[in-house]
Amino acid sequence: MTIESTHNPALIRAAPAGAVIHPAWVRVTHWINVVAMLVMIGSGWEIYNASPLFPFRFPREFTLGGWLAGALLWHFAAMWLLVVNGLVYVALGLATGRFRRKLVPIRPREVLADAKAAFTGRLAHDDLSVYNAIQKLLYLGVILAGIVIVLSGLAIWKPIQMQELAALFGGYDAARYVHFLAMAAIVGFVVIHVVMAFVVPKSLRAMITGR
Ligand code: HEM
Ligand code: HEM
């Protein structure tokens, strides 16, 4: 018996052929989020370049807005798309039971077993309707990073009106670091995530067509 077959329901209960894996609301909010995130990252990098927190700048080719004021306009425009779309996704994820069914529980033992299986090339991707422990961890993690980046963003956008929120992060300067670190976590996730989508192309097809 292989490691994954000891706990991965994918090998016990395969989804019926042709069943919907990602309902329309997941696909629509997912792809809107991709657009919003790309605009937020590109404009965020331009904002960062105007007054870097660390001794480096992002290459101009990867930034959006042309200069600080242009980047801020993009950032504050796409933030509405990001927040409204994110609220719809999280509300439906909770209300439909999708998060409960697909993203929890995350057991450390399973994360370790799946990590070992992944590194030895034995992690099953047979049933796309069931996430392995690493997928659960990463998806839940990026949803939490999304919440942190929105809250820290609000704290540095309106530090006077949102004093309590800024204080929660340890003040304006600390909130700026939190905002940056959440961006780094999201970018790190996206790099691995996009590589995996192309390594397992049927997962990409399912996120487009639903099946
Ligand atoms: C509601 C959502 C968001 C709000 C209200 C917001 C707000 C802000 C504000 C006000 C700044 C300027 C800080 C300053 O003047 O130094 C900023 C910077 C930045 N934002 Fe956002 N942001 C949001 C979401 C995001 C997202 C989703 C990303 C990327 C994934 C992002 C990445 C960045 C980066 C990299 C910076 C530059 C960091 C710095 O040097 O301080 N933001 N954001
Ligand atoms: C071009 C960029 C992207 C591509 C090609 C892509 C592709 C995919 C694919 C194929 C899936 C389903 C994979 C699976 O079965 O595990 C998926 C799910 C997911 N993606 Fe992406 N993605 C992209 C960007 C992003 C970004 C920027 C985020 C968030 C910051 C994100 C968050 C998620 C989440 C949370 C799920 C799970 C959704 C659910 O089941 O409710 N993705 N993505």
Side-chain angles (χ1 to χ4, degrees):
M1 193 183 259
T2 58
I3 290 166
E4 57 272 21
S5 65
T6 56
H7 66 264
N8 189 343
L11 297 181
I12 301 159
R13 170 176 57 83
V20 172
I21 298 166
H22 304 301
W25 66 266
V26 171
R27 287 176 279 138
V28 170
T29 52
H30 179 271
W31 293 115
I32 290 177
N33 180 59
V34 171
V35 174
M37 278 290 180
L38 288 177
V39 174
M40 294 310 276
I41 294 168
S43 54
W45 286 2
E46 179 73 39
I47 299 170
Y48 168 93
N49 281 355
S51 150
L53 288 167
F54 303 99
F56 71 87
R57 285 188 159 82
F58 294 99
R60 291 217 63 187
E61 306 81 70
F62 297 124
T63 65
L64 183 70
W67 64 307
L68 177 60
L72 283 168
L73 286 178
W74 277 105
H75 214 65
F76 295 141
M79 113 190 154
W80 295 105
L81 186 64
L82 181 92
V83 169
V84 172
N85 184 65
L87 284 175
V88 170
Y89 172 70
V90 171
L92 286 174
L94 293 173
T96 61
R98 179 179 179 87
F99 289 171
R100 199 166 11 89
R101 260 181 291 119
K102 304 198 72 157
L103 300 183
V104 289
I106 302 176
R107 299 191 180 91
R109 201 172 47 80
E110 293 178 8
V111 173
L112 287 177
D114 283 348
K116 211 164 132 197
F119 282 119
T120 51
R122 286 185 293 112
L123 192 59
H125 295 284
D126 310 346
D127 183 353
L128 296 175
S129 67
V130 178
Y131 290 142
N132 63 53
I134 301 175
Q135 284 172 304
K136 288 186 198 174
L137 190 70
L138 289 180
Y139 291 154
L140 206 59
V142 82
I143 292 168
L144 292 179
I147 294 171
V148 170
I149 208 162
V150 167
L151 294 181
S152 58
L154 292 176
I156 53 181
W157 179 35
K158 301 275 181 201
I160 308 295
Q161 294 87 332
M162 311 236 180
Q163 272 176 34
E164 290 82 6
L165 195 58
L168 196 70
F169 289 106
Y172 176 88
D173 290 315
R176 228 190 122 184
Y177 279 98
V178 171
H179 200 64
F180 187 91
L181 290 177
M183 178 279 295
I186 290 170
V187 171
F189 163 86
V190 171
V191 171
I192 300 172
H193 184 63
V194 173
V195 168
M196 287 312 295
F198 286 93
V199 169
V200 189
K202 62 180 178 180
S203 74
L204 186 56
R205 197 185 57 213
M207 193 40 99
I208 296 167
T209 67
R211 295 162 203 273

